[in-house]
Amino acid sequence: MRLDKFLASTGRLSRSAAGKAIRGGQVTVNGERIRTPDRHIDPETDEISLGGEVLTYRRYTYILLNKPDGYVSATEDGNDPTVLTLLPEELQRQNLFPCGRLDKHTLGLMLLTNHGPLAHRLLAPRTHVEKTYVFTLREPISPVETARLERGVRLLDGAGESYLSRPCRITMDAEGKSGTIVLTEGKYHEIKRLFEAANNKVLTLERTRFDTLTLDGLPERGQWRHLTPEEEKSLLAHLHPSQSQSE
Ligand code: URA
């Protein structure tokens, strides 16, 4: 792997900033100062330091994004921009994909990664990762109706089959037209379908939490950041304890 690519993969620097740091003499490989960004290194065995600090190779990348309106949560789309286009080029080259889907007009928290087994585990029906959404409705909804939705109702999936929604938690604001919902499954248009089952309509929807992840540090739509080591650790705990970042 190229030295500048390695530095960019740690998420500390963009590829061009990595090139500058290398040319500026801030980077050593096994103790030797290297000034050529295209120098080939082995991330598994070489010790790379930036400004005297040893960098650890991270095989996988985990990005948290505040999704704006109008972007699709896919890696490619013929019509609309994808969430991947919000990331800088060096990240777009890392085979990231959205971990789960948000509808085109749904806003908020989205996890992107290239760690297939983790995404698979987080999205597996038996994992039941909690996701919190803030919504507004066309009409007020009664406590009796929200209690019915919380217990579970029969919904149509995207393929015309019906299923019983898993129990969820709904908290409504005083006037009954906006609130939060906590889901533990990720079925097609689930929140919209739930409120349609109560003859209502979701007008706006924003995801604010995915398991332990929140939009902390991402106040603006379109902003992104790498997960903190603590966030990464808590997500990886969903994998079997013997599996880890080093796999
Ligand atoms: N439920 C929906 O209806 N839409 C989303 O984007 C997410 C959950």
Side-chain angles (χ1 to χ4, degrees), residues 90-102:
E90 64 265 18
L91 285 176
Q92 291 190 31
R93 281 195 291 265
Q94 290 191 24
N95 299 321
L96 298 168
F97 55 88
C99 179
R101 296 179 83 92
L102 289 180

Side-chain angles (χ1 to χ4, degrees), residues 184-212:
T184 53
E185 66 182 355
K187 293 276 171 52
Y188 177 68
H189 285 182
E190 176 141 12
I191 298 173
K192 289 176 187 155
R193 284 162 189 265
L194 271 172
F195 287 102
E196 271 165 23
N199 294 318
N200 213 317
K201 187 172 165 57
V202 172
L203 297 183
T204 62
L205 191 57
E206 176 187 8
R207 183 155 69 188
T208 55
R209 182 171 71 92
F210 181 100
D211 195 43
T212 53

Side-chain angles (χ1 to χ4, degrees), residues 1-19:
M1 180 188 273
R2 281 173 61 125
L3 183 56
D4 55 355
K5 186 171 178 198
F6 167 82
L7 286 174
S9 79
T10 65
R12 300 290 205 78
L13 302 167
S14 69
R15 186 85 169 249
S16 60

Side-chain angles (χ1 to χ4, degrees), residues 46-132:
D46 289 329
E47 187 186 86
I48 321 293
S49 299
L50 171 66
E53 185 194 342
V54 176
L55 301 174
T56 354
Y57 175 54
R58 309 205 75 77
R59 176 162 171 195
Y60 299 114
T61 302
Y62 309 93
I63 300 290
L64 209 53
L65 172 78
N66 187 342
K67 180 187 170 304
D69 189 15
Y71 286 77
V72 291
S73 41
T75 48
E76 279 175 37
D77 191 89
N79 300 313
D80 297 299
T82 73
V83 287
L84 267 306
T85 63
L86 294 160
L87 302 179
E89 265 181 29
E90 64 265 18
L91 285 176
Q92 291 190 31
R93 281 195 291 265
Q94 290 191 24
N95 299 321
L96 298 168
F97 55 88
C99 179
R101 296 179 83 92
L102 289 180
D103 297 338
K104 181 173 156 186
H105 297 297
T106 301
L107 311 172
L109 191 152
M110 176 127 247
L111 174 67
L112 297 139
T113 186
N114 47 15
H115 191 169
L118 176 70
H120 191 257
R121 176 60 59 94
L122 293 174
L123 299 175
R126 71 194 150 93
T127 305
H128 304 317
V129 166
E130 284 198 350
K131 285 153 264 180
T132 304

Side-chain angles (χ1 to χ4, degrees), residues 65-68 215 217-224:
L65 172 78
N66 187 342
K67 180 187 170 304
L215 284 169
L218 299 174
E220 307 289 335
R221 304 284 176 219
Q223 278 186 328
W224 63 271

Side-chain angles (χ1 to χ4, degrees), residues 21-36:
I22 297 164
R23 280 190 293 273
Q26 293 178 50
V27 178
T28 60
V29 177
N30 302 324
E32 184 193 348
R33 200 162 304 283
I34 301 295
R35 291 180 188 268
T36 43

